[in-house]
Structure formats: C-alpha cells, structure tokens
Amino acid sequence: MKFFIAHLATETNTFAAAPTGLGAFEEIGVFHGDASRRDPQGAGAFLHFLRGLIEADGHEAVESLCTLAQPGGRTVRHVYEALRDEILADLRAAMPVDAVQLLLHGAMAAEGYDDCEGDLAERIRAIVGPGVPIGLELDLHCHFTGRMQRAADVIVAFKEYPHVDTDERGRELYRLLVAAARGDIQPVMAVYDCRMVGLWHTTREPMREFVRQMEAAEREPGVLSVSLGHGFPWGDVPEAGAKLWVVADGDAALAQSVAERLGRAFWDLRERIGPETVDIDTALDVAAATKGEGPVVLADVADNPGGGAAGDSTFILRRLVERGTADAVVGALWDLGAVHVCRSAGVGAVLDLRIGGKCGPASGLPVDLRVRVRAIVENHSQSALGTRERLGPSVWVEAANGLHIVLASIRTQTYGTDAFTGLGLELADKAVVAVKSTQHFHAEFAPLARQVLYVSSPGAMNFDFGAIPYRLRSTDYWPRVADPHAAAGI
C-alpha cells in the first residue's frame, strides 16, 4: 500500500496587520520531501513518526512538502499557491497511491482563500479520484468547513489543549485510512455547529471530562472517531467557530445523532468552561502574598505569538518594574534590536537597554532598563510538545531586583522551560515566571508552578469574544447572542 504524506500548516489571525510570507515558513523550515530525515526532531517530527508507522507495516511512504509558520496575518497569495502546487505536483508524480494523509492546521487563510485546507483537499480529490481515501489531521483550533468534509473521507482533530496528542491522533487517522483503503470500513462524517466562539483548556474540568465523553463515544458500535474543533477566535472567515463532528462506519444517521448529542452536551457547558483571567496587579498580588513557596506562572495570553501577536508587549514587564517585584522572569520577548545590542556587547556587559514595545499600540511602550548580559546562545531552541522549536540567537539579561528577561530573535510562543533553562536561567527559586503563551506552556510549566494564572492585558488577542469585530463570519454566536440555536430554530 502506498501512502502519500505531507505537512503544511499555519494559523491565520485575520486581524493581524503583517501578512505571512515565505520568510515565516523558511524561519521554521521548508523541506521538499525529506523533512522526516533531515529534521526528525523539529519541523519533520510528525512525518518522521508517520513514516515509521507506515514502513513498520510494510507499506510505502511517499513524502512531500513539510513546512509550517508561526501564526500571523493572511498568507501571501503566491506563497500559499506555490506551497499547495508543490504538494499537488508531488502527488501527480506519485500516482497511483492508495491513501493520502496530511497534517494541516484547519485555520489557514491566504489572500483570496478563506479555506486553504478545503482548497487543497478539493484539488487532491480531483487528482486521486473518488476511490482513494483522503485523511486530514487538524489542529484543535481549526475551522471545519463544508469543502473539507466533501473532499476528505476522514478528518480527525487533536483532542487536547495544549496539543500533546498530535502523534496519537496521527496514529488513529492512519489506522482508519488503512482500513478504508482495504474496504474494511466505509467512513462517513456528520457535523454539529455549536455556534460558539471561545478558548477552552482541556487541562481542567469540565473540559477534561468532556474529552473523556468523546473517547467513550468512540467505543460505541459503528463510531470510528469523534472530534471537537474549537475554532480559532481571531480568524474571521465564513465557517469559523466551534464544531463537533463524528466519523461513523457507513451510517450517516448514526454519525449525525452522535454529533448532535455531544455537540449539545458541549453547548450545555458553555458557562463553565471559559478561560478565567485576572488583571496584572491581581496576579502580582497573588505572587507577593505567597512568595517563597515556588513560582507563580503568569500566562500573557493577549501577547501570544501562537495566536498571531507580536510577542513584544511590555505591560507585564512594566508593572513588575513599577512595583519593584523581585525574583521575576519574563520571556521570551521578540526583540531583534535588543538581541543585536546584547550580542555586540557580550556576556558580562552592563548597559542601558530599550526592551520591547516596538510593533505598535498592542505592544505597549518600550521599557528602558539598565541590565547585565548574563548569557548569549547563538542557536537557542526549546522543547515544543514533543518537537524542538528554534528561538534563534537569544540572550538572558538581568535588571535590578533580580528581574530576568529572555529576548529571542525568532517570534514564537513559550512552550518549554528550556526556553529559560537552556540559557542557564533557573526557575524553581523565582517568585514570578511570565510566559508569552496562552496555553501550550502548561504541559511543562504547570508541574513547577505553585499556581498558574491567565493574565488579561492590552494586546493583539481580544478575549472579549462577544465583541470581536467580525466582518465575514456570522455574528449569530455565543457569547454575542445568548442562544443562537433558538434564534436559528434549531
């Protein structure tokens, strides 16, 4: 059996001013059929894993493009088209194939394309014909669309946020595609539109229990897979929003029934599952009241590069300075200029440094500090949910009161504790650790934290979900509308 595999992903914040160009993909890596071998712990980690599954079963893997970019604005049209067309050309050259398995995001939009994944899947279907199973693995923050559903046989999304189950979902999808290619199953999909916009962490109840409900439903006769696409709140595209879909074995009515049952159960949780945020001073008050008992980890949710923000906002940093908070860590801030100045000065140098606040109003104003350069790493990286992610040339500087700041050259959210410890900066003895992330930090930082707080501040990611200024998607959703299902007569 011959499998055609590829990985193309970015998450599009349509409100971000800067487009996603080729450089954003090149920064992480663009691999032309060899990512699983050239970068098996980085960008190619999933294809390396998938190739291992395929070849262990005695099948053939034909590997195509592998590339991904940090979230940002819409992908430049010719960049998306070139990446898409490379996959299509490789597929034509590989024909005939027995199955197609792709790792995509599900919330990628480009200039002229609101649904890149649906566009790609449609074109793949036109090449392979109706008899070859196509499987898509999507990020949990995807927009499940009609084009995707019509073009693919099986679509599976991550169940966990943070996304610690990428490989597990890939294995699930692979096994379903093998069974479909052999004729052992006939997958059909049905979807329930939850008509909700938000962010929902699966690390706490009641979302943890809801994931278990989804898994229990997958053990019911005839049910092959259950996925909840949370949607990406800052993606203004027509089919955005939370949707639950079910893959069943040849029984469309069963798929629809289970999708509606679970979708309504998720809707019933809406008042209990939203992120609980506090303002900056409340978070720092908590840290001050329990100092010496381990670090309080603050998630700077509005300035998460993983959601398209710049990663250089200074609102938390400024309050730490103004309050004289001791033994605090902030990072990783994206500041090419500050990194360059520190690299030029060298380790041990003491200098006046202007930090952050460079990318616009959502970044706040720069903070001027006298700092000592504590460490410089030319090719810094961090663990990132089972892979390695580059931070580029990075520096650790220390200001008064034991205020430690990590500055990076590559814009990315903070995933792993080694974003700090890889520079020699210890965390266990600190009072406050502020990370540029919304939730993916949780897997590594929660075990060392006395408490994790999600901090609201000005920034590029608006967490007032009812007030996001959508133009393309319907505004008939919760929490903007109390009961959009009733309004729609559902």
Side-chain angles (χ1 to χ4, degrees), residues 73-427:
R74 282 181 180 260
T75 300
V76 175
R77 183 177 189 129
H78 72 83
V79 172
Y80 164 63
E81 291 175 341
L83 298 174
R84 174 200 69 192
D85 291 349
E86 179 175 336
I87 294 173
L88 299 176
D90 287 348
L91 176 59
R92 292 188 188 97
M95 291 294 290
V97 300
D98 298 291
V100 175
Q101 182 165 347
L102 307 178
L103 176 59
L104 307 175
H105 187 282
M108 180 181 183
E111 296 167 343
Y113 298 89
D114 290 329
D115 177 13
C116 292
E117 290 84 357
D119 173 66
L120 175 60
E122 275 186 353
R123 293 170 188 270
I124 287 174
R125 177 60 71 196
I127 294 172
V128 302
V132 174
I134 298 172
L136 311 180
E137 181 176 356
L138 303 181
D139 188 288
L140 173 152
H141 294 113
C142 61
H143 309 304
F144 184 93
T145 70
R147 293 178 76 185
M148 296 180 202
Q149 184 177 1
R150 290 187 294 271
D153 295 274
V154 182
I155 302 176
V156 170
F158 309 154
K159 285 184 170 65
E160 301 290 350
Y161 182 38
H163 309 327
V164 294
D165 60 334
T166 306
D167 289 353
E168 185 178 353
R169 300 283 75 78
R171 182 185 292 107
E172 171 191 340
L173 179 57
Y174 165 69
R175 289 174 175 167
L176 291 174
L177 290 175
V178 169
R182 288 175 173 161
D184 297 336
I185 61 171
Q186 296 179 315
V188 294
M189 288 187 289
V191 62
Y192 179 83
D193 188 346
C194 303
R195 296 177 179 263
M196 296 164 63
V197 171
L199 278 185
W200 302 291
H201 304 153
T202 62
T203 51
R204 54 193 176 92
E205 300 295 357
M207 281 303 297
R208 289 180 67 181
E209 173 58 29
F210 187 75
V211 171
R212 290 191 286 269
Q213 289 181 40
M214 294 167 62
E215 293 169 340
E218 290 174 327
R219 295 189 289 272
E220 296 176 14
V223 176
L224 301 175
S225 177
V226 177
S227 295
L228 173 64
H230 294 203
F232 182 58
W234 302 279
D236 183 13
V237 295
E239 295 180 80
K243 297 176 185 177
L244 192 143
W245 67 92
V246 172
V247 185
D249 186 5
D251 190 338
L254 173 65
Q256 192 64 56
S257 173
V258 176
E260 290 187 6
R261 185 186 84 214
L262 290 172
R264 291 181 185 277
F266 179 65
W267 162 257
D268 289 342
L269 296 175
R270 65 194 179 279
E271 299 288 355
R272 301 168 51 203
I273 55 178
E276 299 176 358
T277 61
V278 298
D279 61 44
I280 298 172
D281 280 304
T282 297
L284 296 181
D285 287 344
V286 170
T290 55
K291 186 177 179 182
E293 300 175 14
V296 173
V297 174
L298 311 184
D300 191 357
V301 296
D303 193 40
N304 173 22
D312 76 332
S313 87
T314 57
F315 300 104
I316 291 178
L317 175 62
R318 183 173 298 279
R319 287 303 291 149
L320 287 167
V321 173
E322 290 170 345
R323 291 174 56 127
T325 302
D327 301 320
V329 176
V330 180
L333 274 79
W334 182 50
D335 194 328
L336 294 167
V339 169
H340 177 77
V341 170
C342 292
R343 290 169 73 201
S344 178
V347 174
V350 177
L351 65 148
D352 295 318
L353 188 65
R354 175 158 286 190
I355 298 172
K358 296 181 172 67
C359 291
S363 299
L365 297 174
V367 173
D368 295 323
L369 293 173
R370 189 157 187 82
V371 302
R372 180 182 298 276
V373 180
R374 295 288 305 273
I376 301 170
V377 174
E378 290 299 325
N379 190 23
H380 191 30
S381 67
Q382 61 177 332
S383 58
L385 304 178
T387 68
R388 297 298 303 176
E389 184 152 316
R390 295 174 58 231
L391 291 160
S394 302
V395 300
W396 160 26
V397 299
E398 182 178 359
N401 290 321
L403 173 58
H404 305 269
I405 305 161
V406 168
L407 306 167
S409 299
I410 294 178
R411 184 178 68 91
T412 182
Q413 67 179 296
T414 307
Y415 286 94
T417 54
D418 54 352
F420 301 104
T421 60
L423 288 158
L425 175 54
E426 294 302 320
L427 301 177

Side-chain angles (χ1 to χ4, degrees), residues 7 28-31 35 39-47 66-68 387-388:
H7 181 186
I28 295 177
V30 180
F31 299 89
D39 195 17
Q41 293 183 318
F46 178 76
L47 291 186
C66 174
T67 190
L68 56 156
T387 68
R388 297 298 303 176

